Amino acid sequence: MDPQAIGDARSPGRRPLPARRLAGVLDPVIPRVGAWLRQRPDALSLAQGMVNWSPPAAVAEAVQAALAAGDGSAVLHRYGPMEGDEELLEAVRIELQAHHGLDLEGTALLVTAGSNMAFNALAQVILDPGDEVILPLPWYFNHVMAVQLAAGVPVGVPAGLVPDPERLAAAITPRTRAIVTVSPANPSGVVIPGDVLAAINQLCAERGLFHISDEAYAAFVHGSVPHQPPGQIRGSGSHTITLHSLSKAYGMAGWRLGHAAVPRQLLAGLAQVQDTVMICPPRITQRAALAALAAGPAWIAPRVASLVERRALVLEAVASGQSQGLPITLPIVPDGAFYALLSCETPLSGEALVERLVIDHGVAALPGEAFGLGGGESRSLLRLSYGMLEPPLLGEALVRLLVGLRKLLG
Ligand SMILES: Cc1ncc(COP(=O)(O)O)c(C=O)c1O
């Protein structure tokens, strides 16, 4: 933005403009892909980071019952506790301890409108201007944006798709406040082994840093490496933040419900942010969440299992493209979430590839640049999501992808 224009805009009588610092915040990629999709309404999407299933039936029942309760539902209309309703917090506590084996000693729980909101609140609370957050590459773009919005500095570290703790350690400076891990990972689909997460957690403990563990995809494990959250480590509660989301596992992205287990010393600061932004999490949504958590892992398991076939279709499509001479590879076998990273030999950028794939070939993916992966001089990366399309539509999308890549990489 032209600083002169801003100066002028702040003069009396001129149209007021947003603050200058927003020019330093990453632009979200989704609206750009959305604009290309509007030009090609019949496109199939391997771009969306969602699942195609709906929430447990008990969710709608719980909401209807709450609303039908007449005066009994009046509580839903009033402000509630900042950190969430006690009943839901208790259900979250049980889930985190019994199902995920977390050591919650020294932690507090906070319900938020999605885990992005929790991450944003944390960035506000742990960062002074100029403080750094280490984000192993590829990063999740909303983490970058939250850090920047808090006047912090996101430090993308090329530490490998399974991040090497030593390379992360080498990136620590006196300004570093936290290291973020995402496992199972977006966009690579990698499940980071428990011993690697434990080493990163130990590094954080030794260097006085927070370890922010984004576990939005905790339920999505398809291979032999289990999800072993760092919060399981005894005594980790004073520096470990565990973020969970109901968006993916329960198909509740639009309901906006997530939660965070945070070191207790952060709660007062988080209360300031949450009170300002939301006052309390929406109470009807909390009833819905309570019903979802009651459906629990037994409800999630068959749905996650249904992704195994889709993952196989993606792997088969890549192998078939390779056997026909297409210069594409999977940099890592994707064993988690519902994503795969695809590396393409091409002078085109990931964004240029996606634009052409959508407009000319009717299939969308996300460009590696959105995740801090600029590719190289002759390489670009795409994130493929197999969460939204069931076979046979997924098969059709993959055919379009291969046809498109054959043209574009040829
Ligand atoms: C790593 C990661 N964290 C968080 C989120 C967002 O979760 P929520 O919908 O709970 O804000 C996403 C969504 O794509 C994600 O990929």
Side-chain angles (χ1 to χ4, degrees), residues 48-50 112-119 139-143 181-187 214-217 243-248 252-254 256-259 337-339 371 383:
Q48 285 174 297
M50 284 187 289
T112 53
S115 68
N116 266 9
M117 178 177 247
F119 189 95
W139 58 30
Y140 170 51
F141 42 81
N142 285 133
H143 291 163
T181 54
V182 182
S183 180
N186 176 11
D214 184 328
E215 301 177 19
Y217 302 95
L243 302 181
H244 272 265
S245 166
L246 273 69
S247 296
K248 318 286 174 177
M252 293 178 74
R256 310 309 302 132
L257 207 293
H259 52 83
F338 35 82
Y339 303 123
F371 305 93
R383 187 197 76 176

Side-chain angles (χ1 to χ4, degrees), residues 45-56 216-222 245-255 299-308 310 336-339 383 385-390:
S45 181
L46 298 170
Q48 285 174 297
M50 284 187 289
V51 294
N52 66 308
W53 55 78
S54 303
Y217 302 95
F220 296 84
V221 173
H222 317 297
S245 166
L246 273 69
S247 296
K248 318 286 174 177
Y250 292 103
M252 293 178 74
W255 291 76
W299 184 89
I300 297 169
R303 288 159 180 86
V304 170
S306 75
L307 295 175
V308 169
R310 303 191 210 176
F338 35 82
Y339 303 123
R383 187 197 76 176
S385 165
Y386 52 90
M388 282 297 277
L389 294 178
E390 284 182 278

Side-chain angles (χ1 to χ4, degrees), residues 62-297:
V63 169
Q64 275 155 8
L67 294 175
D71 284 349
S73 70
V75 67
L76 297 175
H77 308 314
R78 314 234 154 98
Y79 292 133
M82 174 284 299
E83 64 273 40
D85 286 333
E86 187 46 47
E87 229 183 330
L88 179 58
L89 289 170
E90 193 46 35
V92 167
R93 187 170 294 116
I94 291 169
E95 148 119 356
L96 291 179
Q97 285 177 325
H99 185 61
H100 295 287
L102 295 202
D103 178 12
L104 293 180
E105 185 63 38
T107 68
L109 298 178
L110 184 70
V111 174
T112 53
S115 68
N116 266 9
M117 178 177 247
F119 189 95
N120 185 61
L122 282 158
Q124 295 289 333
V125 168
I126 66 171
L127 299 177
D128 282 314
D131 280 350
E132 297 169 3
V133 176
I134 290 180
L135 302 168
L137 288 167
W139 58 30
Y140 170 51
F141 42 81
N142 285 133
H143 291 163
V144 178
M145 294 163 78
V147 169
Q148 291 170 329
L149 284 167
V153 180
V155 179
V157 179
L161 291 176
V162 173
D164 173 359
E166 283 184 19
R167 283 201 261 170
L168 297 179
I172 295 173
T173 76
R175 299 305 307 260
T176 308
R177 297 287 284 140
I179 299 178
V180 178
T181 54
V182 182
S183 180
N186 176 11
S188 70
V190 78
V191 182
I192 303 175
D195 60 337
V196 176
L197 289 171
I200 296 170
N201 194 267
Q202 174 69 23
L203 174 67
C204 289
E206 285 166 9
R207 306 294 289 271
L209 308 177
F210 293 107
H211 181 179
I212 305 180
S213 176
D214 184 328
E215 301 177 19
Y217 302 95
F220 296 84
V221 173
H222 317 297
S224 56
V225 179
H227 173 60
Q228 284 183 302
Q232 285 180 348
I233 300 164
R234 298 291 136 220
S236 62
S238 61
H239 69 283
T240 306
I241 293 153
T242 305
L243 302 181
H244 272 265
S245 166
L246 273 69
S247 296
K248 318 286 174 177
Y250 292 103
M252 293 178 74
W255 291 76
R256 310 309 302 132
L257 207 293
H259 52 83
V262 300
R264 208 168 279 148
Q265 69 270 24
L266 293 181
L267 192 61
L270 287 166
Q272 290 172 303
V273 177
Q274 178 114 317
D275 189 63
T276 304
V277 173
M278 206 165 55
I279 300 185
C280 70
R283 303 189 87 184
I284 189 73
T285 314
Q286 294 189 67
R287 293 290 177 92
L290 200 54
L293 291 182

